[in-house]
Amino acid sequence: MKIDLSEKVIIITGASSGIGNYLAKKYCEEKCKLVVCYNKNVDEAMKLESYLKNKGCKYMLFRVDIKISREVVIMMGKVVKKFGKIDVLINNAGIILDNTLLEMSDKQWDSVISTNLTGTFICCRECAKIMRTQNFGKIINISSLKGQIGSEFQANYCSSKAGVIGLTKSMAKELCVFGITVNSVCPGFIETNLNMGMETKKERATSESLLDIKNNLDSLSCMLAFLSSNLSNGVTGQVFNVDSRLI
Ligand SMILES: NC(=O)c1ccc[n+]([C@@H]2O[C@H](COP(=O)([O-])OP(=O)(O)OC[C@H]3O[C@@H](n4cnc5c(N)ncnc54)[C@H](OP(=O)(O)O)[C@@H]3O)[C@@H](O)[C@H]2O)c1
């Protein structure tokens, strides 16, 4: 059995850093047509662009703030114009702004909810409008174990990621009639800009994991490749913990 992503048009949000950046480079090897997005990190986006160019990948690069509907609509429109369709959307972009519950400002709450949850919703909604006309599409929302079990100092982040799971399940029920699948994936701990320097979190993840956390990123990319491929056509509304922590 072979995972075949060739000729698929795949959008990855948050590709200028961490998980999204790694995925973009992995997917590029699969001969798909890649759409990679970033928000603020122009330098890393340019590095990714030259990487994709050197590899001969068919790609489009967008600077898009997923919180802003207008920017997302324009991007999706340009993708369909150039590549003719959208097969897969991976909603990966996300942020954290940790604080104690008692000291968390409205702004810290709103920023995380509006990026991680509202931004994901906007991308899902706009992409689903296009996928509905194709009668096919796969949406994968990156959530987090923290959205299932909670975490101190991360009420905003955990709420946003729990929301992403609710969004995923609701969309799966509503969009199945259009041949669109919607699933959520919760990565294990992966060291990126998101959690850089958070040694306590890394130590905790390491001690709670039954297996070596070094394998988390590879396993994640394999799970996402499966969910992006036709091999997963019978799977929707699910939440996959790609992790060896038990809950
Ligand atoms: N790392 C982990 O252990 C872990 C575990 C569970 C879940 N996750 C989830 O995995 C996803 C990726 O995390 P990561 O660790 O790779 O984080 P990261 O290295 O900080 O990357 C986050 C990406 O999201 C983009 N982004 C942030 N705000 C955006 C916005 N408003 N519009 C568009 N793009 C935006 C960033 O773009 P710019 O830098 O260009 O602004 C960046 O490319 C997140 O959803 C995170 O919650 C991560």
Side-chain angles (χ1 to χ4, degrees), residues 14-20 38-41 64-67 92-95 115 142-144 157 161 187-190 192-195:
S16 49
S17 175
I19 294 173
Y38 69 104
N39 186 29
K40 294 186 184 146
N41 200 336
V64 56
D65 186 337
I66 57 165
K67 302 191 291 299
N92 164 73
I95 59 167
T115 302
I142 303 297
S143 179
S144 170
Y157 181 75
K161 292 298 183 180
F189 183 91
I190 295 162
T192 65
N193 286 342
L194 191 86
N195 48 33

PDB file of all heavy atoms in Angstrom, residues 14-20 38-41 64-67 92-95 115 142-144 157 161 187-190 192-195, ligand 1:
ATOM      1  N   GLY A  14       0.816  28.329   8.377  1.00  0.00           N
ATOM      2  CA  GLY A  14       1.879  28.335   9.384  1.00  0.00           C
ATOM      3  C   GLY A  14       3.105  27.565   8.938  1.00  0.00           C
ATOM      4  O   GLY A  14       3.711  26.811   9.719  1.00  0.00           O
ATOM      5  N   ALA A  15       3.518  27.794   7.680  1.00  0.00           N
ATOM      6  CA  ALA A  15       4.634  27.008   7.127  1.00  0.00           C
ATOM      7  C   ALA A  15       5.992  27.690   7.301  1.00  0.00           C
ATOM      8  O   ALA A  15       7.003  27.160   6.869  1.00  0.00           O
ATOM      9  CB  ALA A  15       4.369  26.710   5.652  1.00  0.00           C
ATOM     10  N   SER A  16       6.004  28.867   7.938  1.00  0.00           N
ATOM     11  CA  SER A  16       7.278  29.579   8.102  1.00  0.00           C
ATOM     12  C   SER A  16       8.059  29.101   9.324  1.00  0.00           C
ATOM     13  O   SER A  16       9.153  29.584   9.596  1.00  0.00           O
ATOM     14  CB  SER A  16       7.015  31.084   8.211  1.00  0.00           C
ATOM     15  OG  SER A  16       6.006  31.316   9.168  1.00  0.00           O
ATOM     16  N   SER A  17       7.496  28.173  10.065  1.00  0.00           N
ATOM     17  CA  SER A  17       8.157  27.775  11.307  1.00  0.00           C
ATOM     18  C   SER A  17       7.750  26.359  11.708  1.00  0.00           C
ATOM     19  O   SER A  17       6.745  25.832  11.209  1.00  0.00           O
ATOM     20  CB  SER A  17       7.750  28.774  12.395  1.00  0.00           C
ATOM     21  OG  SER A  17       8.248  28.393  13.647  1.00  0.00           O
ATOM     22  N   GLY A  18       8.546  25.778  12.577  1.00  0.00           N
ATOM     23  CA  GLY A  18       8.202  24.541  13.285  1.00  0.00           C
ATOM     24  C   GLY A  18       7.575  23.437  12.452  1.00  0.00           C
ATOM     25  O   GLY A  18       8.100  23.012  11.416  1.00  0.00           O
ATOM     26  N   ILE A  19       6.449  22.963  12.921  1.00  0.00           N
ATOM     27  CA  ILE A  19       5.784  21.799  12.329  1.00  0.00           C
ATOM     28  C   ILE A  19       5.414  22.063  10.863  1.00  0.00           C
ATOM     29  O   ILE A  19       5.664  21.234   9.984  1.00  0.00           O
ATOM     30  CB  ILE A  19       4.517  21.439  13.158  1.00  0.00           C
ATOM     31  CG1 ILE A  19       4.923  20.964  14.559  1.00  0.00           C
ATOM     32  CG2 ILE A  19       3.671  20.400  12.443  1.00  0.00           C
ATOM     33  CD1 ILE A  19       3.770  20.748  15.534  1.00  0.00           C
ATOM     34  N   GLY A  20       4.818  23.228  10.602  1.00  0.00           N
ATOM     35  CA  GLY A  20       4.368  23.560   9.240  1.00  0.00           C
ATOM     36  C   GLY A  20       5.533  23.606   8.262  1.00  0.00           C
ATOM     37  O   GLY A  20       5.419  23.162   7.111  1.00  0.00           O
ATOM     38  N   TYR A  38       2.429  32.013   5.468  1.00  0.00           N
ATOM     39  CA  TYR A  38       3.089  32.521   6.666  1.00  0.00           C
ATOM     40  C   TYR A  38       2.405  33.827   7.053  1.00  0.00           C
ATOM     41  O   TYR A  38       1.573  34.345   6.301  1.00  0.00           O
ATOM     42  CB  TYR A  38       4.586  32.749   6.419  1.00  0.00           C
ATOM     43  CG  TYR A  38       4.900  33.891   5.473  1.00  0.00           C
ATOM     44  CD1 TYR A  38       5.369  35.111   5.947  1.00  0.00           C
ATOM     45  CD2 TYR A  38       4.699  33.746   4.104  1.00  0.00           C
ATOM     46  CE1 TYR A  38       5.652  36.156   5.085  1.00  0.00           C
ATOM     47  CE2 TYR A  38       4.971  34.798   3.235  1.00  0.00           C
ATOM     48  CZ  TYR A  38       5.439  36.001   3.733  1.00  0.00           C
ATOM     49  OH  TYR A  38       5.696  37.032   2.878  1.00  0.00           O
ATOM     50  N   ASN A  39       2.791  34.347   8.217  1.00  0.00           N
ATOM     51  CA  ASN A  39       2.174  35.606   8.642  1.00  0.00           C
ATOM     52  C   ASN A  39       3.223  36.699   8.787  1.00  0.00           C
ATOM     53  O   ASN A  39       3.266  37.625   8.001  1.00  0.00           O
ATOM     54  CB  ASN A  39       1.399  35.390   9.946  1.00  0.00           C
ATOM     55  CG  ASN A  39       0.610  36.627  10.364  1.00  0.00           C
ATOM     56  OD1 ASN A  39       0.192  37.404   9.510  1.00  0.00           O
ATOM     57  ND2 ASN A  39       0.415  36.800  11.649  1.00  0.00           N
ATOM     58  N   LYS A  40       4.135  36.563   9.785  1.00  0.00           N
ATOM     59  CA  LYS A  40       5.076  37.653  10.062  1.00  0.00           C
ATOM     60  C   LYS A  40       6.508  37.347   9.665  1.00  0.00           C
ATOM     61  O   LYS A  40       7.303  38.252   9.445  1.00  0.00           O
ATOM     62  CB  LYS A  40       5.039  37.971  11.565  1.00  0.00           C
ATOM     63  CG  LYS A  40       3.703  38.533  12.018  1.00  0.00           C
ATOM     64  CD  LYS A  40       3.769  38.962  13.465  1.00  0.00           C
ATOM     65  CE  LYS A  40       2.411  39.439  13.944  1.00  0.00           C
ATOM     66  NZ  LYS A  40       2.171  39.122  15.351  1.00  0.00           N
ATOM     67  N   ASN A  41       6.845  36.077   9.635  1.00  0.00           N
ATOM     68  CA  ASN A  41       8.256  35.708   9.505  1.00  0.00           C
ATOM     69  C   ASN A  41       8.709  35.644   8.032  1.00  0.00           C
ATOM     70  O   ASN A  41       8.841  34.570   7.444  1.00  0.00           O
ATOM     71  CB  ASN A  41       8.490  34.364  10.207  1.00  0.00           C
ATOM     72  CG  ASN A  41       9.941  34.156  10.545  1.00  0.00           C
ATOM     73  OD1 ASN A  41      10.827  34.743   9.910  1.00  0.00           O
ATOM     74  ND2 ASN A  41      10.198  33.320  11.533  1.00  0.00           N
ATOM     75  N   VAL A  64      -0.479  35.596   4.693  1.00  0.00           N
ATOM     76  CA  VAL A  64      -1.902  35.722   5.019  1.00  0.00           C
ATOM     77  C   VAL A  64      -2.099  35.616   6.524  1.00  0.00           C
ATOM     78  O   VAL A  64      -1.516  34.761   7.178  1.00  0.00           O
ATOM     79  CB  VAL A  64      -2.723  34.651   4.248  1.00  0.00           C
ATOM     80  CG1 VAL A  64      -2.243  33.258   4.515  1.00  0.00           C
ATOM     81  CG2 VAL A  64      -4.197  34.736   4.561  1.00  0.00           C
ATOM     82  N   ASP A  65      -2.881  36.556   7.033  1.00  0.00           N
ATOM     83  CA  ASP A  65      -3.261  36.472   8.443  1.00  0.00           C
ATOM     84  C   ASP A  65      -4.584  35.710   8.487  1.00  0.00           C
ATOM     85  O   ASP A  65      -5.602  36.213   7.999  1.00  0.00           O
ATOM     86  CB  ASP A  65      -3.422  37.890   9.019  1.00  0.00           C
ATOM     87  CG  ASP A  65      -3.684  37.853  10.518  1.00  0.00           C
ATOM     88  OD1 ASP A  65      -4.166  36.811  11.015  1.00  0.00           O
ATOM     89  OD2 ASP A  65      -3.417  38.869  11.188  1.00  0.00           O
ATOM     90  N   ILE A  66      -4.556  34.523   9.069  1.00  0.00           N
ATOM     91  CA  ILE A  66      -5.749  33.665   9.018  1.00  0.00           C
ATOM     92  C   ILE A  66      -6.938  34.252   9.784  1.00  0.00           C
ATOM     93  O   ILE A  66      -8.054  33.791   9.616  1.00  0.00           O
ATOM     94  CB  ILE A  66      -5.456  32.218   9.522  1.00  0.00           C
ATOM     95  CG1 ILE A  66      -4.888  32.237  10.949  1.00  0.00           C
ATOM     96  CG2 ILE A  66      -4.539  31.485   8.549  1.00  0.00           C
ATOM     97  CD1 ILE A  66      -4.925  30.866  11.630  1.00  0.00           C
ATOM     98  N   LYS A  67      -6.689  35.269  10.606  1.00  0.00           N
ATOM     99  CA  LYS A  67      -7.791  35.906  11.346  1.00  0.00           C
ATOM    100  C   LYS A  67      -8.612  36.825  10.448  1.00  0.00           C
ATOM    101  O   LYS A  67      -9.669  37.277  10.825  1.00  0.00           O
ATOM    102  CB  LYS A  67      -7.259  36.795  12.485  1.00  0.00           C
ATOM    103  CG  LYS A  67      -6.394  36.102  13.492  1.00  0.00           C
ATOM    104  CD  LYS A  67      -6.155  37.000  14.690  1.00  0.00           C
ATOM    105  CE  LYS A  67      -5.281  38.222  14.462  1.00  0.00           C
ATOM    106  NZ  LYS A  67      -3.905  37.960  14.024  1.00  0.00           N
ATOM    107  N   ASN A  92      -2.677  24.537  10.387  1.00  0.00           N
ATOM    108  CA  ASN A  92      -1.607  24.294  11.350  1.00  0.00           C
ATOM    109  C   ASN A  92      -1.225  25.555  12.127  1.00  0.00           C
ATOM    110  O   ASN A  92      -0.731  25.470  13.247  1.00  0.00           O
ATOM    111  CB  ASN A  92      -0.400  23.736  10.583  1.00  0.00           C
ATOM    112  CG  ASN A  92       0.887  23.804  11.364  1.00  0.00           C
ATOM    113  OD1 ASN A  92       1.083  23.036  12.302  1.00  0.00           O
ATOM    114  ND2 ASN A  92       1.755  24.746  11.019  1.00  0.00           N
ATOM    115  N   ALA A  93      -1.464  26.738  11.542  1.00  0.00           N
ATOM    116  CA  ALA A  93      -1.009  27.991  12.179  1.00  0.00           C
ATOM    117  C   ALA A  93      -1.592  28.121  13.585  1.00  0.00           C
ATOM    118  O   ALA A  93      -2.769  27.817  13.808  1.00  0.00           O
ATOM    119  CB  ALA A  93      -1.433  29.184  11.322  1.00  0.00           C
ATOM    120  N   GLY A  94      -0.772  28.562  14.502  1.00  0.00           N
ATOM    121  CA  GLY A  94      -1.260  28.729  15.865  1.00  0.00           C
ATOM    122  C   GLY A  94      -0.257  29.491  16.710  1.00  0.00           C
ATOM    123  O   GLY A  94       0.915  29.613  16.356  1.00  0.00           O
ATOM    124  N   ILE A  95      -0.743  30.036  17.817  1.00  0.00           N
ATOM    125  CA  ILE A  95       0.135  30.780  18.731  1.00  0.00           C
ATOM    126  C   ILE A  95      -0.171  30.391  20.185  1.00  0.00           C
ATOM    127  O   ILE A  95      -1.221  29.811  20.461  1.00  0.00           O
ATOM    128  CB  ILE A  95      -0.046  32.322  18.605  1.00  0.00           C
ATOM    129  CG1 ILE A  95      -1.501  32.753  18.890  1.00  0.00           C
ATOM    130  CG2 ILE A  95       0.379  32.809  17.233  1.00  0.00           C
ATOM    131  CD1 ILE A  95      -1.673  34.254  19.095  1.00  0.00           C
ATOM    132  N   THR A 115      -6.765  33.722  16.741  1.00  0.00           N
ATOM    133  CA  THR A 115      -5.839  33.064  15.803  1.00  0.00           C
ATOM    134  C   THR A 115      -6.169  31.572  15.704  1.00  0.00           C
ATOM    135  O   THR A 115      -6.463  31.050  14.632  1.00  0.00           O
ATOM    136  CB  THR A 115      -4.376  33.239  16.269  1.00  0.00           C
ATOM    137  OG1 THR A 115      -4.089  34.627  16.372  1.00  0.00           O
ATOM    138  CG2 THR A 115      -3.404  32.597  15.284  1.00  0.00           C
ATOM    139  N   ILE A 142      -5.100  21.052  13.119  1.00  0.00           N
ATOM    140  CA  ILE A 142      -4.137  20.703  14.172  1.00  0.00           C
ATOM    141  C   ILE A 142      -4.658  21.251  15.508  1.00  0.00           C
ATOM    142  O   ILE A 142      -4.820  22.458  15.676  1.00  0.00           O
ATOM    143  CB  ILE A 142      -2.733  21.279  13.875  1.00  0.00           C
ATOM    144  CG1 ILE A 142      -2.212  20.802  12.511  1.00  0.00           C
ATOM    145  CG2 ILE A 142      -1.757  20.900  14.994  1.00  0.00           C
ATOM    146  CD1 ILE A 142      -2.009  19.311  12.364  1.00  0.00           C
ATOM    147  N   SER A 143      -4.925  20.335  16.407  1.00  0.00           N
ATOM    148  CA  SER A 143      -5.365  20.720  17.746  1.00  0.00           C
ATOM    149  C   SER A 143      -4.232  20.396  18.725  1.00  0.00           C
ATOM    150  O   SER A 143      -3.052  20.503  18.353  1.00  0.00           O
ATOM    151  CB  SER A 143      -6.656  19.988  18.099  1.00  0.00           C
ATOM    152  OG  SER A 143      -7.078  20.344  19.391  1.00  0.00           O
ATOM    153  N   SER A 144      -4.567  20.016  19.913  1.00  0.00           N
ATOM    154  CA  SER A 144      -3.531  19.703  20.899  1.00  0.00           C
ATOM    155  C   SER A 144      -4.123  18.834  21.997  1.00  0.00           C
ATOM    156  O   SER A 144      -5.312  18.961  22.341  1.00  0.00           O
ATOM    157  CB  SER A 144      -2.987  20.998  21.501  1.00  0.00           C
ATOM    158  OG  SER A 144      -2.158  20.704  22.609  1.00  0.00           O
ATOM    159  N   TYR A 157      -5.122  29.020  25.328  1.00  0.00           N
ATOM    160  CA  TYR A 157      -4.660  28.030  24.342  1.00  0.00           C
ATOM    161  C   TYR A 157      -5.512  26.749  24.403  1.00  0.00           C
ATOM    162  O   TYR A 157      -5.980  26.253  23.369  1.00  0.00           O
ATOM    163  CB  TYR A 157      -3.188  27.713  24.606  1.00  0.00           C
ATOM    164  CG  TYR A 157      -2.580  26.726  23.635  1.00  0.00           C
ATOM    165  CD1 TYR A 157      -2.252  27.112  22.335  1.00  0.00           C
ATOM    166  CD2 TYR A 157      -2.324  25.400  24.009  1.00  0.00           C
ATOM    167  CE1 TYR A 157      -1.685  26.205  21.434  1.00  0.00           C
ATOM    168  CE2 TYR A 157      -1.762  24.495  23.120  1.00  0.00           C
ATOM    169  CZ  TYR A 157      -1.437  24.904  21.841  1.00  0.00           C
ATOM    170  OH  TYR A 157      -0.885  24.006  20.958  1.00  0.00           O
ATOM    171  N   LYS A 161      -7.944  25.184  21.477  1.00  0.00           N
ATOM    172  CA  LYS A 161      -7.705  23.858  20.887  1.00  0.00           C
ATOM    173  C   LYS A 161      -8.880  22.910  21.148  1.00  0.00           C
ATOM    174  O   LYS A 161      -9.166  22.038  20.322  1.00  0.00           O
ATOM    175  CB  LYS A 161      -6.396  23.278  21.417  1.00  0.00           C
ATOM    176  CG  LYS A 161      -5.160  24.048  20.925  1.00  0.00           C
ATOM    177  CD  LYS A 161      -5.044  23.999  19.422  1.00  0.00           C
ATOM    178  CE  LYS A 161      -3.805  24.687  18.884  1.00  0.00           C
ATOM    179  NZ  LYS A 161      -3.708  24.634  17.426  1.00  0.00           N
ATOM    180  N   PRO A 187      -0.613  16.775  17.892  1.00  0.00           N
ATOM    181  CA  PRO A 187       0.785  16.292  17.886  1.00  0.00           C
ATOM    182  C   PRO A 187       1.285  16.004  19.297  1.00  0.00           C
ATOM    183  O   PRO A 187       0.791  16.586  20.272  1.00  0.00           O
ATOM    184  CB  PRO A 187       1.562  17.490  17.309  1.00  0.00           C
ATOM    185  CG  PRO A 187       0.541  18.432  16.752  1.00  0.00           C
ATOM    186  CD  PRO A 187      -0.719  18.190  17.502  1.00  0.00           C
ATOM    187  N   GLY A 188       2.279  15.142  19.384  1.00  0.00           N
ATOM    188  CA  GLY A 188       2.999  15.008  20.647  1.00  0.00           C
ATOM    189  C   GLY A 188       3.879  16.239  20.828  1.00  0.00           C
ATOM    190  O   GLY A 188       3.870  17.137  19.975  1.00  0.00           O
ATOM    191  N   PHE A 189       4.640  16.304  21.903  1.00  0.00           N
ATOM    192  CA  PHE A 189       5.498  17.479  22.140  1.00  0.00           C
ATOM    193  C   PHE A 189       6.597  17.545  21.082  1.00  0.00           C
ATOM    194  O   PHE A 189       7.333  16.579  20.858  1.00  0.00           O
ATOM    195  CB  PHE A 189       6.126  17.399  23.538  1.00  0.00           C
ATOM    196  CG  PHE A 189       6.949  18.608  23.879  1.00  0.00           C
ATOM    197  CD1 PHE A 189       6.378  19.698  24.520  1.00  0.00           C
ATOM    198  CD2 PHE A 189       8.310  18.675  23.535  1.00  0.00           C
ATOM    199  CE1 PHE A 189       7.136  20.825  24.824  1.00  0.00           C
ATOM    200  CE2 PHE A 189       9.069  19.798  23.834  1.00  0.00           C
ATOM    201  CZ  PHE A 189       8.484  20.870  24.483  1.00  0.00           C
ATOM    202  N   ILE A 190       6.677  18.688  20.421  1.00  0.00           N
ATOM    203  CA  ILE A 190       7.712  18.905  19.401  1.00  0.00           C
ATOM    204  C   ILE A 190       8.344  20.265  19.676  1.00  0.00           C
ATOM    205  O   ILE A 190       7.635  21.275  19.775  1.00  0.00           O
ATOM    206  CB  ILE A 190       7.083  18.873  17.978  1.00  0.00           C
ATOM    207  CG1 ILE A 190       6.534  17.472  17.682  1.00  0.00           C
ATOM    208  CG2 ILE A 190       8.100  19.284  16.922  1.00  0.00           C
ATOM    209  CD1 ILE A 190       5.545  17.402  16.541  1.00  0.00           C
ATOM    210  N   THR A 192       9.685  23.639  19.079  1.00  0.00           N
ATOM    211  CA  THR A 192       9.608  24.633  17.997  1.00  0.00           C
ATOM    212  C   THR A 192       9.661  26.029  18.615  1.00  0.00           C
ATOM    213  O   THR A 192       9.766  26.168  19.831  1.00  0.00           O
ATOM    214  CB  THR A 192       8.268  24.514  17.234  1.00  0.00           C
ATOM    215  OG1 THR A 192       7.210  24.853  18.146  1.00  0.00           O
ATOM    216  CG2 THR A 192       8.018  23.124  16.676  1.00  0.00           C
ATOM    217  N   ASN A 193       9.490  27.054  17.779  1.00  0.00           N
ATOM    218  CA  ASN A 193       9.424  28.428  18.298  1.00  0.00           C
ATOM    219  C   ASN A 193       8.304  28.598  19.322  1.00  0.00           C
ATOM    220  O   ASN A 193       8.374  29.433  20.209  1.00  0.00           O
ATOM    221  CB  ASN A 193       9.163  29.426  17.159  1.00  0.00           C
ATOM    222  CG  ASN A 193      10.394  29.616  16.303  1.00  0.00           C
ATOM    223  OD1 ASN A 193      11.501  29.289  16.734  1.00  0.00           O
ATOM    224  ND2 ASN A 193      10.207  30.116  15.094  1.00  0.00           N
ATOM    225  N   LEU A 194       7.252  27.788  19.153  1.00  0.00           N
ATOM    226  CA  LEU A 194       6.073  27.892  20.018  1.00  0.00           C
ATOM    227  C   LEU A 194       6.404  27.639  21.487  1.00  0.00           C
ATOM    228  O   LEU A 194       5.844  28.263  22.382  1.00  0.00           O
ATOM    229  CB  LEU A 194       5.019  26.882  19.542  1.00  0.00           C
ATOM    230  CG  LEU A 194       3.630  26.970  20.118  1.00  0.00           C
ATOM    231  CD1 LEU A 194       2.800  27.971  19.313  1.00  0.00           C
ATOM    232  CD2 LEU A 194       2.936  25.610  20.067  1.00  0.00           C
ATOM    233  N   ASN A 195       7.291  26.681  21.717  1.00  0.00           N
ATOM    234  CA  ASN A 195       7.566  26.303  23.116  1.00  0.00           C
ATOM    235  C   ASN A 195       9.055  26.423  23.455  1.00  0.00           C
ATOM    236  O   ASN A 195       9.521  25.832  24.414  1.00  0.00           O
ATOM    237  CB  ASN A 195       7.060  24.873  23.382  1.00  0.00           C
ATOM    238  CG  ASN A 195       7.503  23.902  22.304  1.00  0.00           C
ATOM    239  OD1 ASN A 195       8.594  24.069  21.759  1.00  0.00           O
ATOM    240  ND2 ASN A 195       6.693  22.913  22.002  1.00  0.00           N
TER     241      ASN A 195
HETATM  242  N1  LIG B   1       5.030  22.156  19.029  1.00  0.00           N
HETATM  243  C1  LIG B   1       4.255  21.360  19.760  1.00  0.00           C
HETATM  244  O1  LIG B   1       4.713  20.636  20.663  1.00  0.00           O
HETATM  245  C2  LIG B   1       2.772  21.326  19.494  1.00  0.00           C
HETATM  246  C3  LIG B   1       2.001  20.406  20.218  1.00  0.00           C
HETATM  247  C4  LIG B   1       0.639  20.358  19.991  1.00  0.00           C
HETATM  248  C5  LIG B   1       0.073  21.196  19.048  1.00  0.00           C
HETATM  249  N2  LIG B   1       0.852  22.086  18.344  1.00  0.00           N
HETATM  250  C6  LIG B   1       0.189  22.925  17.340  1.00  0.00           C
HETATM  251  O2  LIG B   1       0.867  22.780  16.106  1.00  0.00           O
HETATM  252  C7  LIG B   1       0.736  23.970  15.334  1.00  0.00           C
HETATM  253  C8  LIG B   1       2.114  24.439  14.860  1.00  0.00           C
HETATM  254  O3  LIG B   1       2.878  24.735  16.000  1.00  0.00           O
HETATM  255  P1  LIG B   1       4.454  24.955  15.982  1.00  0.00           P
HETATM  256  O4  LIG B   1       4.971  24.340  17.219  1.00  0.00           O
HETATM  257  O5  LIG B   1       5.033  24.556  14.684  1.00  0.00           O
HETATM  258  O6  LIG B   1       4.511  26.552  16.166  1.00  0.00           O
HETATM  259  P2  LIG B   1       5.480  27.673  15.534  1.00  0.00           P
HETATM  260  O7  LIG B   1       6.813  27.108  15.241  1.00  0.00           O
HETATM  261  O8  LIG B   1       5.389  28.833  16.459  1.00  0.00           O
HETATM  262  O9  LIG B   1       4.756  28.028  14.147  1.00  0.00           O
HETATM  263  C9  LIG B   1       3.516  28.666  14.134  1.00  0.00           C
HETATM  264  C10 LIG B   1       3.180  29.076  12.717  1.00  0.00           C
HETATM  265  O10 LIG B   1       1.878  29.708  12.726  1.00  0.00           O
HETATM  266  C11 LIG B   1       1.951  30.900  11.959  1.00  0.00           C
HETATM  267  N3  LIG B   1       0.954  31.881  12.428  1.00  0.00           N
HETATM  268  C12 LIG B   1       0.806  32.386  13.672  1.00  0.00           C
HETATM  269  N4  LIG B   1      -0.194  33.297  13.685  1.00  0.00           N
HETATM  270  C13 LIG B   1      -0.691  33.355  12.431  1.00  0.00           C
HETATM  271  C14 LIG B   1      -1.719  34.104  11.810  1.00  0.00           C
HETATM  272  N5  LIG B   1      -2.473  34.997  12.491  1.00  0.00           N
HETATM  273  N6  LIG B   1      -1.953  33.920  10.491  1.00  0.00           N
HETATM  274  C15 LIG B   1      -1.215  33.022   9.786  1.00  0.00           C
HETATM  275  N7  LIG B   1      -0.225  32.292  10.301  1.00  0.00           N
HETATM  276  C16 LIG B   1       0.040  32.464  11.622  1.00  0.00           C
HETATM  277  C17 LIG B   1       3.362  31.402  12.163  1.00  0.00           C
HETATM  278  O11 LIG B   1       3.683  32.296  11.103  1.00  0.00           O
HETATM  279  P3  LIG B   1       4.758  33.516  11.290  1.00  0.00           P
HETATM  280  O12 LIG B   1       5.853  32.969  12.153  1.00  0.00           O
HETATM  281  O13 LIG B   1       5.174  33.797   9.872  1.00  0.00           O
HETATM  282  O14 LIG B   1       4.024  34.648  11.910  1.00  0.00           O
HETATM  283  C18 LIG B   1       4.146  30.099  12.122  1.00  0.00           C
HETATM  284  O15 LIG B   1       4.422  29.752  10.784  1.00  0.00           O
HETATM  285  C19 LIG B   1       0.029  24.982  16.231  1.00  0.00           C
HETATM  286  O16 LIG B   1      -1.348  25.007  15.905  1.00  0.00           O
HETATM  287  C20 LIG B   1       0.228  24.414  17.628  1.00  0.00           C
HETATM  288  O17 LIG B   1      -0.773  24.803  18.515  1.00  0.00           O
HETATM  289  C21 LIG B   1       2.183  22.162  18.546  1.00  0.00           C
END
